[in-house]
Amino acid sequence: MDEDGGVECALRLPAHGPLPPPPDLSALLYWASPPVITLVAAILCVGWLAAVRRIDTAHPQNRVPPKRTAAFLGAMVLLLVALQSGLERYDTTLFSAHMVQHLLLLFPIPILLLRAGPMTLLLRLAAPRWRARLLAVLESRVIGVLGHPLVAWITFVVVLWATHLSPLFDLALEEPLVHDLEHALYLGSGLLFWAPLVATDPVRHRLSRAGALGYLITQMPQSSFLGVAIMWAPAPLYAHYATLARSWGPTPLEDQQLAGAIMWLAGDALFLVAIFAVLAAWARAEERGGSRYDLAQADAATAEIRRREIALAERLRSERGETNERRASK
């Protein structure tokens, strides 16, 4: 192993193709070609907006909430940043850039897609015949098993560890199709993991607040330990990065350490945001519950006072009537 943390020249793999230049401000304007993801995202955005317009026109009293459209469009923007921008240009050159891609596909993109409520939009848009078929799929046993929180939790862990600590990662760096399938795997596992927590669409297995806390708190160390393991590895883990022979930027080992730190610190930060969001929702629910209880108690007290006033008025009228009768008899 050489001083830069790579492997000796005799162990280098065949050429990986031309390396991109050192990243600079122009890298922010880079857009991958062919722009397949851009075309797919554009079609999805146009379709979403058309569907929203049709639903809003047909049901002006029950329009699609604007925040759902904002969530969907935000997910598409982040998807383009992850898979078509300068991140994509450097993902097979810098492990740290690749790690940022993974975090985007595992956290904000699936969360925003789930908050958009795409299944509800499709159900509202579909004709009755197609709506029944779609509901049959959503209510199927397969979807029920895949959407179970335990299955989603395990899938998230397996995808993280198996892809980063197996030959699959190097293969994905060398084979574009495998690389694309890896990205789809991250996005899919993210959707499964976050659905019981944040999905706007009805889901079969929605976690309680206590369950959500346990779900997140037990998952966070998994990504933390993996990030630490990558960061503290004594040598480059992936032959692809170690044999690029870059003339610029950090050494392969330094880049790997940065990638591990990104997974550890940024991953933990994102999990903590989710945990605090659950705690805040719980506190608001308790406060609303307390307010309702206090209001009910106040209503009950008011009703009791009113009952006593009526009873007192009846007793006073009865006493006055008896007094008048005695006076009349005299």
Side-chain angles (χ1 to χ4, degrees), residues 153-221:
W153 192 96
I154 293 173
T155 300
F156 199 83
V157 173
V158 170
V159 167
L160 277 180
W161 285 83
T163 55
H164 285 94
L165 298 182
S166 77
L168 178 62
F169 201 94
D170 252 325
L171 181 62
L173 294 170
E174 297 289 333
E175 298 292 338
L177 179 59
V178 179
H179 199 175
D180 294 339
L181 291 175
E182 180 194 53
H183 288 161
L185 190 61
Y186 280 116
L187 181 57
S189 63
L191 288 168
L192 287 178
F193 179 80
W194 294 106
L197 293 168
V198 304
T200 299
D201 294 321
V203 293
R204 197 176 306 182
H205 308 286
R206 191 173 296 278
L207 288 167
S208 65
R209 293 183 182 89
L213 283 178
Y215 189 74
L216 292 168
I217 290 172
T218 55
Q219 183 64 241
M220 187 170 72

Side-chain angles (χ1 to χ4, degrees), residues 257-278:
Q257 291 168 346
L258 176 59
I262 290 172
M263 172 175 272
W264 176 24
L265 299 176
D268 277 8
L270 292 168
F271 270 118
L272 286 173
V273 168
I275 290 170
F276 287 137
V278 172

Side-chain angles (χ1 to χ4, degrees), residues 13-324:
L13 299 176
H16 302 288
L19 293 177
D24 54 19
L25 291 178
S26 65
L28 298 175
L29 303 177
Y30 172 83
W31 212 247
S33 180
V36 177
I37 303 298
T38 301
L39 293 175
V40 171
I43 292 171
L44 290 175
C45 288
V46 171
W48 181 279
L49 294 174
V52 169
R53 182 176 181 180
R54 182 174 175 181
I55 292 171
D56 288 350
T57 301
H59 307 282
Q61 303 303 319
N62 188 18
R63 301 165 67 89
V64 177
K67 61 183 179 182
R68 296 193 182 186
T69 297
F72 183 82
L73 296 179
M76 292 298 101
V77 169
L78 289 179
L79 187 67
L80 293 176
V81 169
L83 302 181
Q84 289 270 218
S85 72
L87 278 178
E88 191 278 339
R89 188 182 193 184
Y90 290 95
D91 62 355
T92 57
T93 305
L94 292 171
F95 185 18
S96 50
H98 204 167
M99 186 61 74
V100 174
Q101 275 188 323
H102 291 177
L103 292 179
L104 288 173
L105 292 168
L106 287 169
F107 288 89
I109 294 174
I111 289 173
L112 288 172
L113 285 175
L114 291 166
R115 294 304 298 167
M119 289 299 104
T120 299
L121 188 81
L122 284 176
L123 288 169
R124 294 188 66 186
L125 188 66
R129 177 167 57 97
W130 291 103
R131 188 181 302 127
R133 293 180 180 179
L134 182 57
L135 283 171
V137 172
L138 295 175
E139 295 171 357
S140 65
R141 181 174 297 180
V142 173
I143 297 297
V145 171
L146 288 176
H148 193 281
L150 181 60
V151 174
W153 192 96
I154 293 173
T155 300
F156 199 83
V157 173
V158 170
V159 167
L160 277 180
W161 285 83
T163 55
H164 285 94
L165 298 182
S166 77
L168 178 62
F169 201 94
D170 252 325
L171 181 62
L173 294 170
E174 297 289 333
E175 298 292 338
L177 179 59
V178 179
H179 199 175
D180 294 339
L181 291 175
E182 180 194 53
H183 288 161
L185 190 61
Y186 280 116
L187 181 57
S189 63
L191 288 168
L192 287 178
F193 179 80
W194 294 106
L197 293 168
V198 304
T200 299
D201 294 321
V203 293
R204 197 176 306 182
H205 308 286
R206 191 173 296 278
L207 288 167
S208 65
R209 293 183 182 89
L213 283 178
Y215 189 74
L216 292 168
I217 290 172
T218 55
Q219 183 64 241
M220 187 170 72
Q222 308 301 322
S223 64
S224 300
F225 293 156
L226 179 57
V228 171
I230 291 172
M231 185 174 65
W232 290 108
L237 297 172
Y238 312 111
H240 174 93
Y241 288 124
T243 59
L244 285 177
R246 277 186 288 103
S247 61
W248 52 264
T251 66
L253 186 58
E254 290 170 346
D255 181 45
Q256 179 174 288
Q257 291 168 346
L258 176 59
I262 290 172
M263 172 175 272
W264 176 24
L265 299 176
D268 277 8
L270 292 168
F271 270 118
L272 286 173
V273 168
I275 290 170
F276 287 137
V278 172
L279 289 172
W282 200 341
R284 287 195 299 269
E286 290 292 330
E287 184 178 350
R288 288 195 299 268
S291 298
R292 285 195 296 268
Y293 176 78
D294 294 341
L295 185 60
Q297 291 288 90
D299 289 343
T302 301
E304 178 62 19
I305 292 172
R306 182 61 178 163
R307 186 190 66 79
R308 291 182 181 182
E309 289 176 347
I310 294 173
L312 178 60
E314 290 290 337
R315 185 161 61 89
L316 291 175
R317 278 198 299 271
S318 176
E319 290 177 354
R320 282 198 297 269
E322 291 176 357
T323 302
N324 291 335

